[in-house]
Amino acid sequence: MKWVELHTAIEGKSVPRNTELLFHQIAFDSRSIKDGTGVLFFAIKGDQHDGHDYIRNLYDLGTRNFVIEREITFSEFHGANFLVVPDGIKAMQQLAAYHRNQFEIPVIGITGSNGKTTIKEWLGVMLGIGHSLVKNPKSFNSQIGVPFSVWNLTSKHDLGIFEAGISQPGEMSNLEPIIRPTIGIFTNIGTAHDQGFETRDQKIREKALLFRNSSQIICCKDHERVFRHLNNQYTGKVITWSLSDQEATLKYNLAGNQLDVVYAAKTYILKLPFTFRIWVENVLNAITTAILLGLTEAEIQQGLDHLKPVKMRLEIKKGMNDCYLIDDSYNNDLQALEIALDFMKHQRQKEKKTVILSDLLQSGFSSEVLYQNVNHLLKTHQVDQVIGVGPEITKHKNLFDVPIDLYPNTETLIDHLPVFNHEMLLIKGARPFALERVTSLLQDKSHRTILELNFEALSHNLRQYRQLLSPGVKVMGMVKAFAYGAGNLEIANFLQFQKIDYLGVAYADEAIALRKNGIHLPIMVMNPELDSLPLLCVHDVEPEIFSFKGLEALIRLEKMPSIHLKIETGMNRLGFTPDQLEDLLTFLSGNPKIRVAGIFTHFSSADDPEEDDFTSEQAREFEEAFTKLSETLGYTPIRHAVNSAGVIRWPRYHFDMVRLGIGLHGFDSTDTLHLRPTGKLTSKISQVRDIKKGESVGYNRSGIAKKDMKIAIIPIGYADGYSRVFGNGAAYMNINGLRAATIGNICMDMAMIDVTGIPCEEGDDVVVFGASPTISDLAGWANTIPYEILTNISERVKRVFYSE
């Protein structure tokens, strides 16, 4: 847009110097501008910062177009254009509304109390397959975020998806002309921002103003208050959906993850990627929109298959004294509390469950009703103890049936912090209480280097493999070797929640630890010590037996555990060989009390096409042995052979069960599945140093500065699993999106990287592996496989688990 056109869009006093100047970007945060060419900057005076203070800096960066709220010395800025307006935010909104009016395309507008961002992101995935669309980045749904988002609409787009949030009356009237949606979605109504409205009905009316010019408005008919208002105000435009109300426009029936949809005498049969209650409501809003836009069943399913949950604030961290922490210390309302309690309920690592809970703010309920509801949620989610923080929760302590200890404020709690042992702790707080300080005190302080594990990526990968299996084929999740470095207890608990059939570990102590921490799935131990067999029976764990010595130890037990027999077919590791088969059959015939749960083998080269003949020969030998063993036993044990690579390349050998290990963590040697990496290894800069040309870095002076340079010291070394092979420039880390190569040898606890020319300081985040570099990059540099990179990560590296 040219400056001369700007005065048409915005009312104000123009002080032009070059009316032909173009701008294509709008900005209100000076920190986001690296090159000011083509930028229109809105100088807005806020409570903490005044945009006018940064005009000089931006001018020096090349910015020549400014909208300002007060006059300045214009002569100091040669060639720059200024538009003086009474309100910079209003001016930005006027410009965005003018810009929106240049396009006649379908636009979806989303409002409501919860789910706006998730629905927008999911619609972006589902509709993005067939459309060139634009949407809000992240949760940019405010008075500034909406115009900033809509400005990105261009002639290349044929669809817009924008969310809008408000906190007081009058705000939606500003946003409606900017979005001007043709289709509206009203998600739900909750307690958020109740304090800004006289009544909940007023809040509904204000939000619904977004749909003044919409031709269709989508809502769940089960939200009666919302539906009633929309139906009264926009008669004939409301499209409803419901899982229970047969009068709804779209009738849904959900059984497991299968969804049947009836609309306009047509039935759609779809598979949902997840069944978590809150996510289901969001995805049904998205599906309804897709159907109204004319997508076919196949197109909708294709979109659903690509969905991933939008990241939540919930993280699981290791705490002190063998505790786990669920960190949700930044927001607190009833719905958010219920979601967090649902998440906590599914964590079985620790039996005792404690909630540290601040006052709930802006709920819209009377205090008495509010804390009655809180008590009900705590009871129904089987919370054992509550630590209450704040004057309101303290005032209503008599409403709680759950044992509760109370503190008037966060400072008092910190001064008298209880000692927690062997517990699952949920820290749930409104922002003003800053309960992250409590989280910091309770968190394990072992290391600044963190391995972040994404549960949703793990779930996605599991779904990708399950789609390859025939009905009835079981899945064994391998959690040996600390679950490939990820954390065996946490991953086992998650896989149990995903209703996997079996778990596999290497040693008896791994299995017993899982049993002691709430894992009830069948567990196979692949390399048990024979003296551990009695314990395995006590804990109902199934050992692999691969030798006659193992069988003889087994039959000496008063009570025997069920076992898995290992058949050696070419791996030449463990197992009964073909020439031992007859003796094995004789032994089993003579000991009918032995209960064989499974019979299996291990393909040595399932991922290697050049060894397919060898794999086929292994399978032939295995099937021959399995048939004879089953006949001798008189029943058919579980038959399993393939690993992650074999699941993809050898479907005819899936048999009764498959074993998934590295594939769950996002590694597919065939590159045919759309897997997602589950892990991201990060650290922080401990120190930044200037090094003179000729100076050395690290042990043995192996790193010599060829010029004056700047280095950063990172608290990760070979004791953490970051091998010495990565030193001396053989690898890089990522700081603020830029590559920083190693310099000098990798030390036991530290590594040094070259940050010359990279803006950084002590405390900045460093990516050791993640999106860039990847684990595969590290494996390539080390001439090894991703397995080794993952399993080498020391247990002293802190694991943080999160659900998106």
Side-chain angles (χ1 to χ4, degrees):
M1 182 182 287
K2 289 184 178 181
W3 178 265
V4 69
E5 190 180 357
L6 180 67
H7 206 273
T8 305
I10 303 175
E11 299 175 3
K13 175 187 174 182
S14 180
V15 184
R17 294 291 188 273
N18 185 349
T19 58
E20 293 301 304
L21 273 179
L22 290 169
F23 61 90
H24 53 82
Q25 177 185 349
I26 64 173
F28 57 91
D29 185 347
S30 63
R31 295 169 297 180
S32 67
I33 301 173
K34 302 294 185 282
D35 179 359
T37 307
V39 173
L40 172 64
F41 180 72
F42 287 79
I44 298 169
K45 188 179 187 310
D47 294 334
Q48 303 296 325
H49 301 284
D50 187 345
H52 300 81
D53 296 339
Y54 304 99
I55 291 175
R56 167 53 66 183
N57 290 339
L58 294 173
Y59 179 84
D60 293 341
L61 288 171
T63 306
R64 293 296 182 267
N65 296 305
F66 297 88
V67 176
I68 59 178
E69 295 176 339
R70 56 179 169 83
E71 296 202 1
I72 60 173
T73 307
F74 301 116
S75 60
E76 295 181 2
F77 303 95
H78 177 73
N81 297 317
F82 293 88
L83 184 66
V84 186
V85 299
D87 187 325
I89 295 176
K90 293 285 187 186
M92 186 186 294
Q93 293 170 346
Q94 290 171 6
L95 176 62
Y98 176 86
H99 182 69
R100 167 69 179 91
N101 284 334
Q102 311 310 305
F103 305 92
E104 291 299 327
I105 63 171
V107 171
I108 300 166
I110 309 169
T111 193
S113 292
N114 301 98
K116 298 184 291 294
T117 300
T118 297
I119 294 170
K120 177 203 68 191
E121 294 297 330
W122 287 351
L123 280 173
V125 173
M126 295 174 68
L127 304 178
I129 296 171
H131 289 277
S132 174
L133 58 83
V134 61
K135 55 187 176 66
N136 315 65
K138 301 180 181 178
S139 297
F140 279 33
N141 59 24
S142 66
Q143 297 291 294
I144 291 179
V146 169
F148 183 84
S149 302
V150 172
W151 177 258
N152 294 318
L153 182 60
T154 72
S155 58
K156 294 185 295 186
H157 298 119
D158 60 5
L159 180 67
I161 309 173
F162 301 107
E163 58 173 302
I166 61 172
S167 58
Q168 60 188 22
E171 290 185 338
M172 193 62 83
S173 296
N174 299 330
L175 301 184
E176 189 277 334
I178 303 171
I179 299 176
R180 196 161 55 83
T182 55
I183 297 176
I185 303 174
F186 201 129
T187 62
N188 49 55
I189 201 69
T191 61
H193 303 298
D194 269 358
Q195 78 284 0
F197 302 89
E198 293 179 4
T199 65
R200 190 72 59 81
D201 286 330
Q202 183 194 32
K203 184 164 69 170
I204 296 173
R205 284 195 303 271
E206 288 291 325
K207 287 180 177 290
L209 292 175
L210 178 61
F211 310 128
R212 280 188 299 203
N213 295 296
S214 302
S215 57
Q216 294 176 309
I217 306 163
I218 297 166
C219 78
C220 175
K221 197 174 183 184
D222 302 331
H223 296 311
E224 296 179 3
R225 210 168 182 175
V226 173
F227 166 69
R228 186 169 61 248
H229 176 83
L230 293 175
N231 203 42
N232 289 339
Q233 187 170 351
Y234 301 112
T235 304
K237 294 184 176 183
V238 181
I239 307 294
T240 59
W241 63 266
S242 176
L243 285 163
S244 57
D245 191 334
Q246 293 302 302
E247 299 300 316
T249 315
L250 285 87
K251 293 169 266 300
Y252 289 123
N253 180 59
L254 182 62
N257 71 333
Q258 179 172 313
L259 180 73
D260 297 340
V261 189
V262 178
Y263 171 63
K266 184 175 181 180
T267 300
Y268 301 74
I269 301 175
L270 303 166
K271 294 286 187 183
L272 299 188
F274 27 65
T275 56
F276 189 38
R277 179 175 57 83
I278 299 299
W279 296 339
V280 167
E281 179 171 318
N282 293 334
V283 81
L284 295 189
N285 274 308
I287 290 171
T288 301
T289 308
I291 290 174
L292 294 182
L293 288 172
L295 270 69
T296 66
E297 177 180 292
E299 289 170 336
I300 295 171
Q301 187 62 61
Q302 183 182 5
L304 291 173
D305 291 341
H306 286 84
L307 294 190
K308 60 179 182 179
V310 177
K311 187 172 181 178
M312 299 165 63
R313 297 172 187 259
L314 297 170
E315 292 184 340
I316 302 179
K317 304 174 179 177
K318 286 295 292 289
M320 294 188 294
N321 302 325
D322 195 31
C323 291
Y324 282 89
L325 312 178
I326 301 176
D327 184 8
D328 195 19
S329 56
Y330 295 98
N331 69 96
N332 203 15
D333 59 43
L334 271 180
Q335 188 171 32
L337 176 61
E338 183 175 6
I339 291 171
L341 288 171
D342 278 344
F343 186 79
M344 184 185 199
K345 188 176 181 180
H346 293 305
Q347 307 307 314
R348 304 290 180 85
Q349 295 95 320
K350 300 298 172 188
E351 185 174 338
K352 183 176 180 181
K353 292 180 167 53
T354 299
V355 176
I356 300 176
L357 181 68
S358 79
D359 285 350
L360 277 71
L361 307 179
Q362 308 168 5
S363 73
F365 295 103
S366 70
S367 293
E368 185 169 348
V369 171
L370 171 64
Y371 288 103
Q372 285 174 344
N373 288 333
V374 170
N375 177 60
H376 175 72
L377 286 175
L378 295 169
K379 285 175 59 180
T380 54
H381 288 83
Q382 300 174 324
V383 172
D384 298 294
Q385 183 183 11
V386 177
I387 307 296
V389 184
E392 287 300 311
I393 195 170
T394 300
K395 188 187 303 181
H396 295 88
K397 62 181 181 180
N398 61 309
L399 298 177
F400 287 87
D401 299 314
V402 179
I404 185 167
D405 295 326
L406 295 162
Y407 299 85
N409 50 53
T410 306
E411 289 70 23
T412 305
L413 172 61
I414 290 172
D415 290 342
H416 302 86
L417 193 63
V419 176
F420 302 101
N421 290 286
H422 315 294
E423 302 175 42
M424 181 67 69
L425 291 161
L426 168 63
I427 298 96
K428 193 81 181 73
R431 283 183 181 272
F433 287 87
L435 288 186
E436 63 270 18
R437 292 179 290 166
V438 177
T439 303
S440 178
L441 291 172
L442 296 175
Q443 192 172 338
D444 186 354
K445 306 299 191 307
S446 57
H447 214 309
R448 298 180 78 191
T449 298
I450 295 173
L451 179 61
E452 299 177 5
L453 283 308
N454 184 339
F455 279 155
E456 298 312 327
L458 189 68
S459 176
H460 166 85
N461 297 339
L462 176 59
R463 287 197 304 273
Q464 292 293 305
Y465 280 102
R466 276 176 162 167
Q467 290 172 5
L468 301 177
L469 305 180
S470 299
V473 176
K474 300 178 186 294
V475 176
M476 176 184 289
M478 304 307 297
V479 292
K480 61 179 181 174
F482 206 51
Y484 294 78
N488 55 346
L489 177 54
E490 296 82 3
I491 300 300
N493 183 75
F494 182 78
L495 293 175
Q496 180 170 269
F497 175 67
Q498 295 292 324
K499 301 188 184 303
I500 207 167
D501 302 286
Y502 254 86
L503 294 174
V505 298
Y507 298 107
D509 57 347
E510 295 174 306
I512 293 169
L514 294 180
R515 280 285 182 262
K516 289 181 176 179
N517 284 278
I519 301 300
H520 54 71
L521 289 174
I523 302 174
M524 182 182 79
V525 180
M526 302 190 75
N527 191 13
E529 295 290 336
L530 296 184
D531 58 7
S532 70
L533 290 178
L535 275 177
L536 296 184
C537 187
V538 169
H539 292 283
D540 192 23
V541 173
E542 301 169 7
E544 168 191 327
I545 299 297
F546 49 80
S547 67
F548 288 107
K549 187 176 181 181
L551 286 173
E552 289 162 358
L554 183 73
I555 62 174
R556 289 196 293 269
L557 298 177
E558 185 175 335
K559 184 179 180 182
M560 292 183 284
S562 297
I563 64 169
H564 291 251
L565 289 172
K566 174 71 176 292
I567 306 303
E568 164 55 45
T569 60
M571 185 78 166
N572 279 318
R573 238 173 21 180
L574 300 175
F576 293 96
T577 59
D579 59 3
Q580 293 177 312
L581 185 58
E582 291 303 319
D583 289 340
L584 177 59
L585 296 173
T586 300
F587 192 100
L588 293 173
S589 297
N591 293 277
K593 290 185 178 181
I594 295 176
R595 181 68 187 177
V596 180
I599 301 172
F600 74 106
T601 193
H602 196 122
F603 293 154
S604 71
S605 308
D607 59 340
D608 188 350
E610 293 186 3
E611 297 293 346
D612 282 355
D613 289 344
F614 187 80
T615 301
S616 296
E617 178 60 21
Q618 280 192 274
R620 187 197 63 76
E621 289 187 12
F622 174 62
E623 290 187 89
E624 183 179 305
F626 180 85
T627 299
K628 292 180 179 179
L629 286 165
S630 297
E631 290 173 352
T632 297
L633 292 169
Y635 56 87
T636 306
I638 297 171
R639 179 174 41 160
H640 52 110
V642 297
N643 59 6
S644 298
V647 172
I648 302 169
R649 298 198 65 247
W650 297 100
R652 63 182 178 274
Y653 301 143
H654 287 178
F655 299 135
D656 304 311
M657 184 163 68
V658 300
R659 302 188 299 269
L660 293 181
I662 196 71
L664 289 173
H665 298 276
F667 296 94
D668 167 20
S669 59
T670 69
D671 289 325
T672 57
L673 292 184
H674 300 289
L675 302 182
R676 295 169 54 194
T678 60
K680 179 181 179 182
L681 185 61
T682 66
S683 193
K684 291 185 180 293
I685 296 176
S686 296
Q687 189 176 36
V688 177
R689 304 178 62 88
D690 291 318
I691 302 295
K692 297 294 185 182
K693 180 180 178 180
E695 290 186 339
S696 60
V697 178
Y699 285 116
N700 304 117
R701 303 191 68 225
S702 62
I704 302 294
K706 296 180 180 179
K707 59 181 179 180
D708 290 353
M709 62 189 305
K710 184 169 65 170
I711 67 169
I713 293 83
I714 314 300
I716 184 172
Y718 57 79
D720 303 297
Y722 196 69
S723 170
R724 279 172 55 88
V725 74
F726 297 131
N728 296 300
Y732 71 84
M733 301 182 195
N734 195 304
I735 300 178
N736 297 323
L738 299 173
R739 296 182 178 187
T742 58
I743 181 169
N745 285 324
I746 304 300
C747 308
M748 180 181 289
D749 309 301
M750 285 174 281
M752 290 70 75
I753 56 177
D754 179 0
V755 294
T756 307
I758 298 177
C760 61
E761 59 186 25
E762 294 176 10
D764 279 1
D765 290 333
V766 179
V767 177
V768 182
F769 65 66
S772 176
T774 65
I775 296 177
S776 295
D777 288 333
L778 270 69
W781 298 332
N783 193 28
T784 184
I785 55 177
Y787 293 72
E788 185 174 346
I789 301 299
L790 279 171
T791 56
N792 277 354
I793 300 172
S794 166
E795 290 192 35
R796 77 176 186 176
V797 172
K798 190 185 306 179
R799 270 73 172 172
V800 173
F801 303 84
Y802 65 93
S803 180
E804 290 182 340

